[in-house]
């Protein structure tokens, strides 16, 4: 597709570049060199959109998941629990978010003249790229507020552990939701299918979720204080995109002050290293106490 637009040399080079960038969820594109705005020129092109979406999805699943799929010769009955959960939750997220984008952006002026298939294609890409891929066929600044909030949520979730994607990860979300439903139903054990997961896993998942949420809120407040004319939605979008290493923007990054850019740099570093890894690296190593303190309780909910 790129060869007719850019010639043989640039066409092949651009194809390789964007394929690698999509699989690695890097989000760097070369369209600015030819006056483009990411991949907006190909919003209705099934070949470009579906190929890149597939690469983004494959890269976001993680190498351990694909190793399990290959080892079991694509036999779902033999998949590990992690593989089953990741595939199921990822599919639900893609289907649900595609439907929501289709509803939210149905009357978007950017899609004026688009038929149902073209709007569906745009919605599929909008639902896939926030896995931290960073490309866009519809500029996030042109989305409705509902679409922007949905993008923020998808960036926050990200891809899967052990993948090229960022975010809190699909597995973390699955563990939190499973633990939540178990508590609401009064279950002592947290069961997923015919397997039981340890409560410590829920504690770690909640710790990652809470830490990411706190970092985003603190960063958003700080950027809003430093940039009083910047809309709160833009500050939130930039903070989430930085921490999840998504690379999407509402076109305000270049206009931020040095202090705000430093905040985003720190968020990107924390997001790339991983919140749990960073906490373990910075935390002091202490020996286990010989005496355990008495049990008590606190009111919650």
């Amino acid at each position: 597709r790129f060869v007719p637009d850019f010639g043989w040399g640039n066409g092949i080079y651009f194809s390789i570049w964007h394929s690698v960038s999509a699989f690695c969820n890097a989000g760097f594109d070369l369209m600015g060199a030819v006056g483009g705005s990411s991949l907006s020129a190909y919003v209705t092109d099934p070949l470009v959109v579906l190929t890149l979406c597939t690469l983004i999805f494959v890269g976001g699943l993680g190498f351990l998941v694909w190793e399990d799929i290959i080892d079991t010769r694509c036999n779902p009955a033999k998949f590990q629990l992690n593989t089953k959960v990741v595939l199921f939750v990822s599919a639900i997220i893609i289907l649900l978010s595609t439907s929501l984008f289709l509803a939210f952006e149905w009357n978007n002026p950017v899609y004026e003249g688009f038929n149902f298939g073209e709007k569906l294609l745009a919605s599929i890409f909008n639902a896939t790229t926030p896995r931290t891929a960073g490309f866009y066929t519809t500029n996030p600044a042109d989305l409705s507020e509902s679409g922007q909030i949905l993008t923020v949520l998808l960036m926050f979730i990200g891809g899967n552990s052990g993948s090229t994607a960022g975010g809190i990860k699909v597995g973390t979300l699955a563990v939190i939701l499973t633990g939540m439903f178990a508590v609401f139903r009064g279950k002592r054990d947290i069961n997923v299918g015919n397997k039981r997961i340890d409560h410590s896993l829920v504690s770690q998942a909640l710790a990652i979720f809470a830490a990411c949420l706190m970092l985003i809120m603190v960063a958003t407040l700080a950027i809003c204080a430093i940039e009083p004319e910047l809309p709160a939605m833009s500050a939130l979008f930039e903070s989430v995109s930085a921490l999840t290493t998504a690379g999407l923007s509402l076109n305000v990054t270049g206009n931020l002050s040095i202090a705000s850019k430093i905040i985003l740099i720190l968020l990107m570093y924390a997001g790339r290293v991983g919140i749990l890894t960073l906490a373990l690296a910075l935390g002091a190593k202490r020996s286990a106490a010989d005496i355990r303190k008495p049990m008590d309780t606190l009111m919650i909910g």
Side-chain angles (χ1 to χ4, degrees), residues 23 54-74 79 82-83 87 160 163:
F23 177 80
T54 301
L55 287 169
I56 293 167
F57 184 78
V58 170
L61 283 180
F63 302 105
L64 294 178
V65 171
W66 282 107
E67 181 182 20
D68 186 34
I69 293 174
I70 294 171
D71 289 343
T72 57
R73 298 182 179 180
C74 299
F79 287 170
N82 179 69
T83 301
L87 291 175
N160 184 42
S163 73

Side-chain angles (χ1 to χ4, degrees), residues 81-104:
L81 177 63
N82 179 69
T83 301
K84 293 178 180 178
V85 170
V86 168
L87 291 175
F88 177 75
V89 176
S90 296
I92 292 296
I93 290 174
I94 292 294
L95 291 174
L96 181 60
S97 54
T98 297
S99 302
L100 290 175
F101 271 119
L102 193 61
F104 293 158

